[in-house]
Amino acid sequence: MCGIVGAASHRNIVDVLVEGLRRLEYRGYDSCGFAVINGDDAKHPIERARTTARVSELAEQSKEFIGTIGIAHTRWATHGKPDTQNAHPHISNGLIAVVHNGIIENYETLRSELKAAAYVFTSETDTEVIAHLIHQQYVSDGQKDIAQSVRAVLPRLHGAYAIGVISQDKPSTLVGARAGSPLVVALGEQENFLASDALALAGHAHSMMYLEEGDVAILKADSVEILNHTGQSVQRERKPMPAQTDSVDLGPYQHYMQKEIFEQPRAIGDTLANIAAFGPELFGAKIDDWKAFDQILILACGTSYYSACVAKYWLEDIAGIPTQVEIASEYRYRTTVANPKTLIVVVSQSGETADTLAALRHAKALGHRYTLAICNVASSAMVRETDWHFLTKAGVEIGVASTKAFTTQLLALYLLTVSLAKRAGRISADQEKELLRELRHLPKALHAVLALEPQIIAWSEAFSKCENALFLGRGLHYPIALEGALKLKEISYIHAEAYPAGELKHGPLALVTDKMPVVTIAPNDVLLEKLKSNMQEVKARGGKLYVFADHDTQIVNSDGINVIRLPEHYGNLSPILHVLPLQLLAYHTACARGTDVDKPRNLAKSVTVE
């Protein structure tokens, strides 16, 4: 969730640190800061700047600083409120500075121990414990080896962490370490870097290495050494740095979320590129690999969980395979009955979602042998830790509220469904060709839906004045209603809930008034007539309906019913089309309310803590 950037160089690297934080703003944060040391003079103090404003404010402060080594951080508050005192980096006695992603679960015990040893705490964070522990170890270490002091402290930290550490009297050394949270080492010309995401350093380094669990990295301007969890010097695979991409530029759009909504036809097209047939090969598997499992368990969180809920309908209806979907953060904390003939599917945009990773590891510990990841990041832990994977081609997603990552996840899960249906002999060769034709038409169909934006903007003015909204859907569109409600609450701060339309009379109907809009997803499917009856229940209570209907549903504008027609019905792929207008509605409502669309309060993009 937080962002780390670190650098060791012979030149002033303050601008590199700040620019790296700017590129990581999409993750979401409450505060930001950096600490630097200038030159090789061991008497030079650690200098620090912190703010609860945006990185642009930190950039203004940074003009007064010069440093050849430093660490920087964007913080999403977990322990302690979002204020300057709790912002990173944290400094212990002017000697040790630390930035940290993750959570130290035993920090209270360590804090009490350190207080007894006369350490004074100036923040409420778990991170300050790390700084003081390293300081304590460092001053008691006769050799004054900062890397060794960090290594000695790590076994005492329970939980997940990625850390960057500098020491005032070792001004040429930057130390990084990770367990449970990602950390990248990037290699440049006479300078080396640390980051939680390689995107932060694109253009500054020529290659990179992903640290593995328990690794400690020792960086100087002219050298990098990596020690594994046993203290042995090891080599990690070098990879080329990702090229700087236009994806981080807004272009003609007002916000990243708007840009990413309109990138969905391209993202879908890229994800479909070079797919000529369905089968296990799409997921890096062989036909024989897929003969062993006879049911599926999908684990995911947030928006990814809703994509999985849609997939349950597809997998059972089209592929005929029993499927369960679980919220990853709940799955690992309840007693489950493991079936070794289950395929575990994990879904995540980043591939580093802490709860989903932990659920995957828990499932494997229970004896589940078959695992598959659907993910947008090839280098992620989730991809590395599963047998098979499918990489969506959504590209960089900056806005905290997921859009193109969601639709490409839906597409990947549909490809999995049809591949399993083919395995089971449930689709013929002719049907396969027809399904491929429909998929190739999907980007064009999405463009047609996006053309509805002006009509949706008109609706958003009315929505912006409301404080509550209800979303209704049936069948495989019920999860799309859930996703629409989530988007609205995430970025506009309007309280929104979603229900299966058939459940109206079992409680939600009590909330319906003329002041609460009721958004209804109305595809022309087998449940349409039932849905129309549910809509009449709302209308009879004075409720105002806002209906996204397929063109041939015979639902028309009338008193209390507002209708926007989608250009065509798209059968089983309809959820991918119907979610786009819900994204646009949330986006334009948030714009009308003046909220921070790309960085909604209290939320983060990459949820790397439990």
Side-chain angles (χ1 to χ4, degrees):
M1 301 173 78
C2 312
I4 287 176
V5 184
S9 180
H10 297 302
R11 65 178 173 119
N12 183 10
I13 46 74
V14 172
D15 287 347
V16 175
L17 297 176
V18 173
E19 176 59 25
L21 294 187
R22 199 189 308 274
R23 294 183 188 180
L24 297 179
E25 283 189 288
Y26 74 94
R27 288 170 169 248
Y29 64 102
D30 306 305
S31 61
C32 53
F34 64 80
V36 293
I37 307 171
N38 184 27
D40 294 328
D41 182 359
K43 295 181 181 179
H44 194 283
I46 297 174
E47 296 184 310
R48 175 175 63 177
R50 299 183 292 178
T51 180
T52 55
R54 291 299 178 193
V55 173
S56 57
E57 166 61 25
L58 190 68
E60 287 298 312
Q61 295 185 44
S62 74
K63 295 175 182 177
E64 303 175 8
F65 290 79
I66 297 174
T68 54
I69 193 166
I71 49 179
H73 192 264
T74 52
R75 175 180 185 253
W76 186 84
T78 54
H79 297 71
K81 59 189 176 183
D83 61 19
T84 305
Q85 288 297 103
N86 289 326
H88 296 211
H90 290 286
I91 299 177
S92 179
N93 295 289
L95 185 63
I96 303 293
V98 174
V99 290
H100 163 229
N101 288 353
I103 289 178
I104 306 304
E105 295 173 353
N106 61 330
Y107 86 101
E108 290 178 325
T109 300
L110 296 172
R111 188 182 180 100
S112 297
E113 175 189 311
L114 288 161
K115 281 185 174 180
Y119 279 90
V120 176
F121 284 79
T122 60
S123 79
E124 304 167 277
T125 68
D126 54 339
T127 303
E128 194 175 3
V129 165
I130 304 173
H132 289 325
L133 279 176
I134 294 173
H135 178 274
Q136 185 181 58
Q137 182 69 36
Y138 187 71
V139 297
S140 66
D141 182 356
Q143 297 182 6
K144 293 286 183 75
D145 184 331
I146 182 61
Q148 181 57 39
S149 297
V150 170
R151 287 195 64 247
V153 163
L154 297 182
R156 303 199 61 197
L157 305 179
H158 301 167
Y161 57 80
I163 60 173
V165 184
I166 56 175
S167 171
Q168 180 264 334
D169 63 354
K170 298 291 181 182
S172 63
T173 304
L174 166 63
V175 179
R178 67 148 298 196
S181 293
L183 200 60
V184 173
V185 171
L187 311 172
E189 298 296 334
Q190 294 193 318
E191 56 187 5
N192 295 298
F193 309 92
L194 280 177
S196 48
D197 188 328
L199 174 68
L201 301 171
H204 296 294
H206 54 72
S207 58
M208 65 180 181
M209 299 179 287
Y210 291 97
L211 296 185
E212 297 186 6
E213 285 289 290
D215 280 356
V216 173
I218 306 160
L219 283 69
K220 298 185 178 182
D222 303 313
S223 65
V224 170
E225 182 181 14
I226 298 177
L227 307 177
N228 67 11
H229 68 284
T230 66
Q232 293 179 311
S233 183
V234 294
Q235 297 293 321
R236 297 299 181 209
E237 182 185 0
R238 290 195 183 191
K239 299 177 180 289
M241 283 292 292
Q244 225 168 335
T245 172
D246 291 337
S247 294
V248 297
D249 296 326
L250 269 173
Y253 298 98
Q254 187 177 358
H255 298 93
Y256 284 109
M257 183 178 178
Q258 184 186 29
K259 177 176 185 278
E260 288 153 9
I261 289 171
F262 279 86
E263 286 177 337
Q264 286 175 110
R266 190 274 309 158
I268 291 291
D270 288 352
T271 303
L272 285 170
N274 302 318
I275 292 177
F278 302 105
E281 297 83 2
L282 295 178
F283 303 87
K286 298 177 182 178
I287 293 175
D288 288 344
D289 295 333
W290 278 20
K291 290 180 178 177
F293 58 83
D294 57 13
Q295 66 179 45
I296 291 177
L297 170 61
I298 311 178
L299 304 170
C301 297
T303 285
S304 297
Y305 171 74
Y306 295 146
S307 73
C309 290
V310 174
K312 176 181 171 66
Y313 286 91
W314 284 336
L315 285 160
E316 296 197 339
D317 179 33
I318 301 170
I321 186 166
T323 302
Q324 291 179 277
V325 179
E326 296 230 20
I327 296 172
S329 58
E330 293 292 325
Y331 168 74
R332 63 184 291 231
Y333 293 113
R334 72 178 188 85
T335 301
T336 57
V337 179
N339 178 354
K341 297 183 74 175
T342 298
L343 172 65
I344 302 295
V345 179
V346 286
V347 186
S348 166
Q349 187 280 136
S350 68
E352 302 288 351
T353 307
D355 287 314
T356 309
L357 263 177
L360 169 65
R361 291 163 183 165
H362 177 66
K364 292 168 76 172
L366 291 176
H368 289 291
R369 297 171 51 200
Y370 310 104
T371 56
L372 184 152
I374 290 173
C375 181
N376 194 38
V377 182
S379 57
S380 65
M382 216 166 281
V383 169
R384 295 196 302 270
E385 294 184 27
T386 49
D387 299 316
W388 312 304
H389 64 266
F390 184 93
L391 294 175
T392 58
K393 301 294 175 57
V396 176
E397 190 177 64
I398 304 293
V400 167
S402 182
T403 52
K404 61 181 180 175
F406 177 72
T407 48
T408 52
Q409 285 172 356
L410 285 173
L411 177 59
L413 289 162
Y414 185 77
L415 294 172
L416 175 64
T417 298
V418 180
S419 295
L420 288 168
K422 184 177 178 181
R423 178 195 74 162
R426 294 172 67 97
I427 62 169
S428 66
D430 288 342
Q431 288 173 316
E432 182 177 16
K433 290 179 182 178
E434 177 60 22
L435 291 172
L436 285 166
R437 188 198 65 78
E438 290 177 357
L439 285 169
R440 293 188 182 110
H441 177 66
L442 195 52
K444 182 178 180 181
L446 293 173
H447 276 298
V449 175
L450 292 171
L452 299 171
E453 185 180 33
Q455 298 176 56
I456 295 168
I457 292 172
W459 280 11
S460 69
E461 292 300 322
F463 273 74
S464 68
K465 299 175 176 62
C466 300
E467 294 303 323
N468 299 282
L470 184 64
F471 286 69
L472 301 178
R474 297 202 72 149
L476 63 115
H477 292 83
Y478 166 52
I480 298 303
L482 287 166
E483 173 64 8
L486 176 62
K487 285 292 157 284
L488 190 66
K489 72 180 78 169
E490 279 181 317
I491 62 171
S492 74
Y493 314 146
I494 293 172
H495 172 248
E497 298 296 335
Y499 275 86
E503 286 293 293
L504 269 173
K505 61 183 70 68
H506 298 288
L509 208 53
L511 298 173
V512 171
T513 71
D514 61 358
K515 293 184 173 52
M516 184 172 73
V518 179
V519 181
T520 307
I521 304 165
N524 189 13
D525 60 16
V526 295
L527 289 170
L528 177 61
E529 294 307 316
K530 297 287 186 185
L531 182 66
K532 288 180 178 178
S533 297
N534 301 141
M535 290 167 55
Q536 290 302 320
E537 293 169 356
V538 172
K539 186 178 179 182
R541 274 78 181 175
K544 293 183 178 179
L545 287 153
Y546 293 82
V547 186
F548 291 106
D550 285 346
H551 71 287
D552 50 0
T553 55
Q554 307 303 313
I555 300 172
V556 297
N557 284 293
S558 61
D559 184 33
I561 301 181
N562 305 280
V563 182
I564 291 178
R565 297 191 180 285
L566 274 64
E568 58 185 305
H569 177 58
Y570 223 66
N572 283 314
L573 290 169
S574 175
I576 299 177
L577 273 72
H578 269 276
V579 77
L580 267 64
L582 301 182
Q583 295 170 350
L584 286 169
L585 179 62
Y587 170 73
H588 286 292
T589 300
C591 289
R593 288 169 70 93
T595 62
D596 193 340
V597 172
D598 288 330
K599 305 178 191 71
R601 67 189 182 201
N602 305 330
L603 300 181
K605 183 68 178 174
S606 300
V607 186
T608 54
V609 296
E610 282 195 69

